[in-house]
Amino acid sequence: MLIFQAHLYYCYFCSESMGLDPPLQLLCAPQTPQLLISGEPNFAPAAMDPLDGFGSPRREEASADSRSGWTRFSSWLECVCVVTFDLELGQAIELVYPQDVKLTEKEKTSICYLSFPDSYSGCLGDTQFTFRLRQSVGRQSFKVDIYNRDAPATLQRETAHFFGYVYFRQVKDVSVKRGYFQKSLVLVSRLPYTHLFHSVLQIIAPEFFEKLEPFLEAVCNEIDQWPNPSPGQTLNLPVVGVVLQVIIPSKTDKPGGSPVKQITNESPLPAPTLLPTIHELDLFKCFQSVLIHLQMLWELMLLGEPLVVMAPSPTVCSETILALVSSISPLKFCCDFRPYFTIHDSEFREYTTRTQAPPNVVLGVTNPFFIKTFQNWPHIVRLGEIKMAGDLPKQVKVKKLSKLKTLDTKPGIYTAYKTFLHKDKILIKRLLKGIQRKRPSEAQSAILRRHLLELTQSFIIPLERYMASLMPLQRSVTPWKTPPQVRPFSQDEFISTLDQTGPQLTSMLRGDWMGLYRRFFRSPNFDGWYRQRHREMTQKLESLHLETICDADLMGWTKDKSEVEIVDLILKLREKLIKARRQQLQVKDEVLDKLDAFINSIVGSLPEDLQPVLNAR
């Protein structure tokens, strides 16, 4: 789409800044990103999760051989759980595979309750839905992930949460005391691949309920043969006689681009089934009863407002939450979100307390009890069964929060929120006309997705352009000075640029864009976006600095320097190389190899009694 490559050259491949000490000032202390609010350095409220940066495959107690045996499986899934209903225990985990995966008791309890629809849903037959749960504290931190470096922000692997993809079956069974067979097959993963994992469940779950554990073991062994998810690659994923062909999106992909064509099948496996997406939902199906309020819902997501979706089933509420979160793509939703939430959730008290303002979280629920619990929340979407008004889905109305009092509350959007931007009436007419003409849901969803993408890009491009202007020029990066810092973000300066380079250049929507930006500056989504961009820019400066050091005449510099100064230079160069590799800076291998060679060469020129000391370091 509309990407300003020249302006954003410095913004795209980067990490944390380091400083330089004498003699060459080759390292710098980490810099805290700054914002200027009314001329003073400040920060928007951070949506910091205490678990950020933690989380890894939980096999601390397993042997190294056991860990290495499931490397490929672990790149896709944390584990597979089977949850059943026990007359004495209630919901209980019957099986976890691989067996050496260690889930905490808190995680097991959460998975048990989140894997079954509550009794109000009345789900008979097969039901699929998604949940998201917080990992327990204290997990070993894992290394910087190459996948996350190359994946779009919205598809990065979670570090502090798990997704649970559920296939629940409830059917009459006279051989069971309660009269019903109730069991869930759950894929637990850090990857937000909703469509892929639910497609896998549709293939394996029906057969699993017949063949049970041996079949599940065979499936897990098959997944362990899959290639690792690699952004930009098209992969063939065999499972139970079916080969799913998928494209793993990359952050360099053009937003809204066409799906990749099917590649030739040259293996003895069956002809692959092409999945058009690994993560996208049927947006039109999710939003069909709230189409006329899409602008309001997009703004609420952009601003990270607390919101509850009450729906008749976990399928509807989880898909609606995931669709809402994706509506601001390619901007990452930086608040917490729970596609399916129950009163048994470990965060229930945290999210329902009335002693403080509701947190910046989006929740999907089905239990009518929540209507009373969430009366103090500012935005509540109550969905019912889809009803048709002629050929059109009946649209819910915006209602006052004061009317949200009883358990039989009617469908509607209960909020006092006033939108900053006007509705896009052309879009609504186009979608409604598509319904009348029986346009396929896939085509309607494509129209919706394109509209939301262009709306988000119109909003974010001025921010990207301004952020790029804060980047120091490449010629200011020299080997003999500390890398220059990114200039602080000034909200007032940014607002002053909107008259000339604002969203009106790319969007036909009218309204209070400045007011929307000022509100956005106070949201966790702005905080997350800014931190990520600042990290990328400082990382780019580090990469440029390494390249200029590599091109400098370092050997010439050492000729008239003392031993102490030369040793100081070696230690600082080594530290920069270690950090560059640890943070996986996008620097050419030959740059790092050249610096390695220089260090070895200069160490070899020092007195022999000093060389072992430096080599040992």
Side-chain angles (χ1 to χ4, degrees):
M1 281 309 287
L2 298 166
I3 301 295
F4 290 79
Q5 304 259 355
H7 291 286
L8 300 181
Y9 169 73
Y10 292 109
C11 290
Y12 278 95
F13 304 97
C14 323
S15 142
E16 262 150 23
S17 65
M18 311 157 215
L20 300 145
D21 294 330
L24 278 181
Q25 295 184 319
L26 291 173
L27 300 165
C28 64
Q31 301 295 321
T32 302
Q34 285 184 306
L35 305 180
L36 288 185
I37 303 176
S38 301
E40 295 296 326
N42 205 340
F43 236 131
M48 297 302 290
D49 190 306
L51 302 176
D52 278 349
F54 290 88
S56 66
R58 260 87 35 80
R59 299 185 170 85
E60 295 95 349
E61 299 177 22
S63 67
D65 289 342
S66 178
R67 283 198 296 271
S68 62
W70 291 97
T71 302
R72 289 192 175 186
F73 178 92
S74 297
S75 69
W76 292 93
L77 297 172
E78 179 70 11
C79 62
V80 180
C81 297
V82 178
V83 182
T84 190
F85 190 89
D86 185 284
L87 278 176
E88 296 180 1
L89 302 175
Q91 283 144 243
I93 289 187
E94 181 178 271
L95 175 68
V96 177
Y97 206 88
Q99 296 171 350
D100 61 307
V101 170
K102 304 299 179 184
L103 296 171
T104 66
E105 289 305 314
K106 184 177 179 181
E107 289 166 346
K108 287 180 181 178
T109 301
S110 294
I111 290 172
C112 281
Y113 283 118
L114 290 169
S115 297
F116 270 40
D118 62 45
S119 57
Y120 296 95
S121 300
C123 297
L124 280 175
D126 293 350
T127 303
Q128 289 185 252
F129 58 94
T130 307
F131 65 78
R132 183 172 179 263
L133 66 96
R134 186 183 294 173
Q135 291 180 30
S136 296
V137 180
R139 294 301 176 196
Q140 180 183 346
S141 162
F142 61 88
K143 297 177 182 178
V144 176
D145 191 57
I146 295 177
Y147 169 84
N148 276 8
R149 185 194 69 187
D150 298 335
T154 54
L155 289 181
Q156 289 177 349
R157 186 178 273 118
E158 291 269 3
T159 57
H161 294 82
F162 290 131
F163 286 98
Y165 302 98
V166 182
Y167 194 107
F168 169 74
R169 172 168 288 184
Q170 179 172 255
V171 293
K172 287 186 177 181
D173 187 344
V174 293
S175 67
V176 180
K177 285 185 178 181
R178 299 183 84 225
Y180 285 92
F181 171 91
Q182 294 174 306
K183 191 167 288 190
S184 285
L185 181 61
V186 187
L187 305 183
V188 180
S189 175
R190 291 190 183 85
L191 294 168
Y193 292 174
T194 308
H195 187 69
L196 169 63
F197 288 132
H198 278 302
S199 297
V200 170
L201 282 170
Q202 287 171 5
I203 296 170
I204 68 173
E207 199 166 349
F208 162 73
F209 290 129
E210 301 295 329
K211 300 179 179 177
L212 304 177
E213 186 173 349
F215 174 77
L216 186 60
E217 183 177 351
V219 169
C220 290
N221 279 297
E222 201 165 19
I223 293 174
D224 194 43
Q225 303 304 312
W226 289 4
N228 291 333
S230 180
Q233 297 297 310
T234 300
L235 307 177
N236 285 337
L237 310 176
V239 56
V240 196
V242 178
V243 179
L244 298 176
Q245 189 173 103
V246 299
I247 176 70
I248 308 298
S250 166
K251 73 176 185 180
T252 59
D253 293 342
K254 181 181 178 182
S258 302
V260 173
K261 295 181 180 178
Q262 189 164 347
I263 60 174
T264 305
N265 182 40
E266 299 178 352
S267 72
L269 295 170
T273 300
L274 180 64
L275 284 188
T277 175
I278 59 172
H279 65 287
E280 290 175 347
L281 296 159
D282 186 339
L283 288 187
F284 180 71
K285 175 186 169 187
C286 296
F287 291 145
Q288 58 182 320
S289 63
V290 293
L291 288 175
I292 62 175
H293 308 298
L294 198 59
Q295 180 64 44
M296 173 190 287
L297 295 173
W298 176 82
E299 287 188 20
L300 292 176
M301 290 300 100
L302 182 72
L303 301 175
E305 286 286 310
L307 182 141
V308 178
V309 172
M310 297 181 179
S313 72
T315 304
V316 174
C317 77
S318 66
E319 287 186 350
T320 303
I321 293 297
L322 292 171
L324 286 171
V325 168
S326 72
S327 69
I328 62 170
S329 179
L331 187 66
K332 184 176 182 178
F333 187 76
C334 295
C335 307
D336 196 1
F337 63 96
R338 304 300 172 91
Y340 178 53
F341 188 76
T342 76
I343 59 174
H344 302 288
D345 199 288
S346 57
E347 281 83 50
F348 175 74
R349 289 188 178 181
E350 175 186 340
Y351 290 157
T352 58
T353 178
R354 299 195 179 194
T355 59
Q356 58 190 34
N360 298 98
V361 62
V362 182
L363 303 176
V365 302
T366 58
N367 192 331
F369 166 77
F370 281 112
I371 292 178
K372 184 176 181 180
T373 308
F374 289 124
Q375 279 186 355
N376 65 321
W377 278 50
H379 318 290
I380 297 176
V381 179
R382 180 77 159 98
L383 300 176
E385 298 293 345
I386 298 298
K387 295 181 180 179
M388 302 302 288
D391 293 331
L392 309 178
K394 189 174 181 180
Q395 300 294 291
V396 302
K397 297 179 179 179
V398 175
K399 301 181 180 182
K400 295 180 180 178
L401 281 165
S402 59
K403 293 186 177 181
L404 190 74
K405 292 180 178 178
T406 60
L407 292 180
D408 59 347
T409 298
K410 293 181 179 180
I413 300 178
Y414 294 82
T415 180
Y417 181 80
K418 302 297 181 185
T419 59
F420 287 91
L421 305 180
H422 304 313
K423 287 181 182 179
D424 190 332
K425 295 181 180 179
I426 296 176
L427 170 74
I428 296 169
K429 288 180 180 178
R430 188 179 178 192
L431 291 172
L432 295 180
K433 186 174 289 185
I435 296 172
Q436 294 171 329
R437 293 179 177 178
K438 303 292 190 294
R439 184 185 292 146
S441 184
E442 295 82 0
Q444 295 279 73
S445 289
I447 293 170
L448 262 178
R449 187 168 286 109
R450 170 63 61 180
H451 168 78
L452 292 168
L453 172 65
E454 292 178 352
L455 182 58
T456 303
Q457 286 186 321
S458 292
F459 182 84
I460 213 71
I461 283 172
L463 286 164
E464 295 276 14
R465 186 187 297 116
Y466 173 73
M467 196 72 189
S469 73
L470 305 179
M471 184 73 173
L473 296 175
Q474 185 170 349
R475 65 171 178 265
S476 65
V477 181
T478 69
W480 318 115
K481 294 181 180 179
T482 304
Q485 296 181 28
V486 178
R487 288 198 301 117
F489 189 109
S490 168
Q491 296 182 11
D492 290 336
E493 185 180 34
F494 167 74
I495 293 294
S496 70
T497 67
L498 294 180
D499 286 339
Q500 298 297 322
T501 58
Q504 71 276 4
L505 296 181
T506 53
S507 175
M508 299 294 291
L509 279 186
R510 296 293 174 256
D512 184 10
W513 285 97
M514 288 189 183
L516 185 60
Y517 278 114
R518 291 193 183 280
R519 183 83 170 264
F520 178 67
F521 289 147
R522 304 199 299 269
S523 76
N525 287 332
F526 171 70
D527 182 69
W529 171 84
Y530 176 74
R531 287 175 183 268
Q532 175 66 20
R533 283 292 177 265
H534 190 279
R535 185 161 53 245
E536 290 175 352
M537 293 167 76
T538 52
Q539 205 170 8
K540 182 61 181 179
L541 286 170
E542 280 299 315
S543 299
L544 291 171
H545 191 233
L546 274 173
E547 290 172 7
T548 58
I549 291 172
C550 185
D551 293 337
D553 182 13
L554 297 177
M555 291 299 292
W557 179 87
T558 62
K559 287 181 180 177
D560 59 347
K561 296 299 184 290
S562 67
E563 250 180 43
V564 173
E565 289 176 302
I566 294 173
V567 169
D568 196 29
L569 168 63
I570 292 169
L571 296 178
K572 287 174 169 53
L573 282 175
R574 276 185 175 165
E575 188 174 347
K576 282 192 80 70
L577 283 172
I578 290 170
K579 288 184 178 180
R581 287 179 171 129
R582 185 173 64 235
Q583 296 178 352
Q584 296 175 346
L585 295 184
Q586 294 200 336
V587 182
K588 293 179 181 178
D589 287 339
E590 49 262 38
V591 171
L592 302 181
D593 293 343
K594 187 175 179 180
L595 287 178
D596 265 333
F598 166 75
I599 291 172
N600 293 332
S601 175
I602 200 68
V603 168
S605 68
L606 292 171
E608 290 186 2
D609 61 336
L610 189 57
Q611 290 181 31
V613 178
L614 290 172
N615 288 328
R617 294 175 67 89

